[in-house]
Amino acid sequence: MGGFYYHVGMKKIIAERTSKIDASGIRKVFALGASLKDPVNFSIGQPDFDVPEELKNEAIKAIKAGDNKYSQTAGDQLLREKIAEQVKGEFGWGKPSVLVASGVSGGLLLAFMALINPDDEVIIPDPYFVMYKHLVNLLGGRCVFVDSYPDFKLPIEGVKGAVTEKTKLIVLNSPCNPTGIVYSRDEVKALAEIAAEKGIPVLTDEIYEKFCYDGACPSIANYYDRVLLLRGFSKSYAMTGWRLAYVAVNESLSDVLEQMIKIQQYTFVCAPTPFQKAAVAALDYDVGDLVDAYRKKRDMVYNELSDKFEVVKPGGAFYAFVKSPVGAATEFVEKAISNNVLVIPGNVFSEKDTHFRISYATSNEKIKEGIEILNRLV
Ligand code: PMP
């Protein structure tokens, strides 16, 4: 780590905590990809459509109407009320509290900051969305990864065995990035029972909840009260740059949400105000057609890859997590990239280096082209 630090006199000026996070895996892919001409880009984490016109107009309207100042720390009142109404209707929560955050990323940081003390343990199924690991580490917590290979179902027994006196939180992400797997009703119910035994809070990251291809995505919030529900606008409406999401809790975790609002006050201050205004309309906007188009992309990727590769059929999101045909997935990823296809090695999202992630959030032509190339490399 030595070279990473600058010195002022005898003092390091970069904080030690920065050494606990590492972005080298993804950076390497981008560096390798930078020299490619018009590659098939299977590395993107955002939809290939644009924000629906109607919602763009709502944001423009808000800007022109002068909604350009800070909102309340916890978010625009009307937006919060509408979200509270929706989660009340969906989960039967008695008294929901809502915080509008700057993306699910913002919500995750606030939640972890409000909950995690040094040495607290956070149980996370592996593979996982990479931010969980780095944020927990940044805060001095300890990730306890529970292996969900090879089918990526929720590893109930593994989670049960991982609970200790130090367990502070369990993190769920369904539909899952990077696997595209959707947890079943029975799985989330079983997890709810385990968490309930010791009253452990569960953070459920449902940013891909609209991208569910084989029926509804069951939420643990239906079966358990001590849940931090994180849902975003980034993926559902292709507004990743608008930085909008929400965190909702029922009464039993309202004290946690209060602390998160306090931290937001001294960090993000509030989510972008004009986009919060537009988000009120987004809550009623139907993205069914876009999801249908993504279901077709999912089918194409799965049907055309599964002859030559080992891949579990994804039920949601826009990712497939594919087993590398050679031992180390990083090796295969380098080969794919040198053949003009950008994919991400699984060890960015996992303690293992056996798989790679494909994001099929691109045009059907590019998907076809990329799959043909990958199939030729086996
Ligand atoms: N959670 C998951 C599982 C994600 O894949 C992402 C984005 N890649 C995020 C959270 C963060 O999204 P945002 O901050 O744009 O809401």
Side-chain angles (χ1 to χ4, degrees):
M1 240 348 106
F4 199 68
Y5 293 102
Y6 297 94
H7 287 77
V8 175
M10 293 303 287
K11 265 193 183 155
K12 292 172 180 169
I13 66 164
I14 305 246
E16 297 280 347
R17 74 174 71 84
T18 59
S19 68
K20 294 181 183 159
I21 52 179
D22 169 30
S24 58
I26 292 203
R27 265 210 307 263
K28 199 171 165 196
V29 172
F30 289 141
L32 282 169
S35 58
L36 301 180
K37 264 206 215 101
D38 193 26
V40 176
N41 195 344
F42 281 158
S43 72
I44 330 165
Q46 54 189 341
D48 70 323
F49 54 88
D50 197 5
V51 176
E53 278 307 301
E54 190 181 321
L55 303 180
K56 283 184 189 169
N57 288 336
E58 288 294 319
I60 293 165
K61 210 165 80 189
I63 289 170
K64 290 199 164 160
D67 287 318
N68 299 305
K69 309 284 195 290
Y70 299 128
S71 73
Q72 288 175 32
T73 307
D76 177 84
Q77 190 61 28
L78 181 62
L79 179 60
R80 289 172 69 212
E81 278 169 14
K82 200 157 170 183
I83 293 165
E85 218 175 275
Q86 283 196 353
V87 294
K88 215 170 181 173
E90 190 173 346
F91 305 120
W93 282 357
K95 211 174 157 208
S97 309
V98 174
L99 159 66
V100 181
S102 293
V104 170
S105 312
L108 286 168
L109 178 66
L110 296 176
F112 290 157
M113 285 185 87
L115 287 169
I116 298 171
N117 283 321
D119 293 329
D120 279 350
E121 292 176 357
V122 180
I123 297 178
I124 305 173
D126 176 345
Y128 45 79
F129 173 51
V130 61
M131 202 177 274
Y132 310 143
K133 169 178 173 171
H134 294 303
L135 291 183
V136 169
N137 286 341
L138 196 62
L139 295 166
R142 222 169 62 73
C143 295
V144 179
F145 296 115
V146 180
D147 193 318
S148 74
Y149 290 81
D151 56 15
F152 310 121
K153 287 186 192 312
L154 186 52
I156 304 295
E157 286 309 311
V159 171
K160 197 171 179 178
V163 172
T164 72
E165 286 308 307
K166 288 187 173 175
T167 305
K168 188 48 120 14
L169 183 68
I170 301 171
V171 176
L172 291 191
N173 172 216
S174 173
C176 174
N177 176 7
T179 61
I181 294 302
V182 172
Y183 295 144
S184 71
R185 203 162 291 285
D186 286 347
E187 287 172 301
V188 292
K189 252 183 180 169
L191 192 105
E193 278 167 26
I194 292 166
E197 263 177 43
K198 290 194 173 159
I200 302 166
V202 174
L203 184 152
T204 175
D205 176 348
E206 300 182 4
I207 192 165
Y208 297 102
E209 45 116 20
K210 297 267 193 276
F211 295 88
C212 280
Y213 306 128
D214 307 312
C217 290
S219 173
I220 191 166
N222 281 301
Y223 309 105
Y224 190 45
D225 198 57
R226 292 172 69 76
V227 159
L228 290 131
L229 171 73
L230 275 70
R231 284 181 175 174
F233 295 84
S234 283
K235 314 283 173 168
S236 313
Y237 313 99
M239 42 180 77
T240 48
W242 288 21
R243 312 308 307 132
L244 274 184
Y246 66 83
V247 185
V249 298
N250 201 1
E251 227 170 344
S252 59
L253 289 186
S254 60
D255 51 345
V256 176
L257 201 83
E258 276 308 308
Q259 297 310 311
M260 290 169 64
I261 294 169
K262 197 165 79 183
I263 301 169
Q264 170 130 296
Q265 191 174 337
Y266 297 121
T267 52
F268 299 93
V269 180
C270 65
T273 304
F275 296 139
Q276 291 194 60
K277 294 286 180 192
V280 175
L283 286 175
D284 291 327
Y285 190 89
D286 181 11
V287 288
D289 289 350
L290 299 168
V291 173
D292 287 345
Y294 268 68
R295 181 182 297 105
K296 291 199 181 102
K297 290 181 196 289
R298 185 274 310 258
D299 289 343
M300 192 162 137
V301 167
Y302 177 70
N303 293 337
E304 291 179 25
L305 267 185
S306 50
D307 275 351
K308 294 219 170 170
F309 289 89
E310 201 177 311
V311 53
V312 184
K313 189 174 187 178
F318 31 75
Y319 307 109
F321 206 53
V322 186
K323 186 154 188 216
S324 165
V326 293
T330 37
E331 240 174 74
F332 183 76
V333 167
E334 280 181 29
K335 195 166 155 192
I337 294 174
S338 62
N339 281 273
N340 229 28
V341 181
L342 285 177
V343 292
I344 310 262
N347 64 354
V348 168
F349 315 95
S350 176
E351 304 304 291
K352 291 188 176 181
D353 182 22
T354 52
H355 288 61
F356 60 95
R357 189 192 76 173
I358 286 182
S359 160
Y360 52 83
T362 182
S363 70
N364 292 349
E365 294 70 38
K366 281 287 181 191
I367 294 176
K368 223 172 164 39
E369 185 188 336
I371 289 178
E372 270 173 25
I373 297 171
L374 290 176
N375 277 333
R376 255 191 277 126
L377 298 181
V378 182

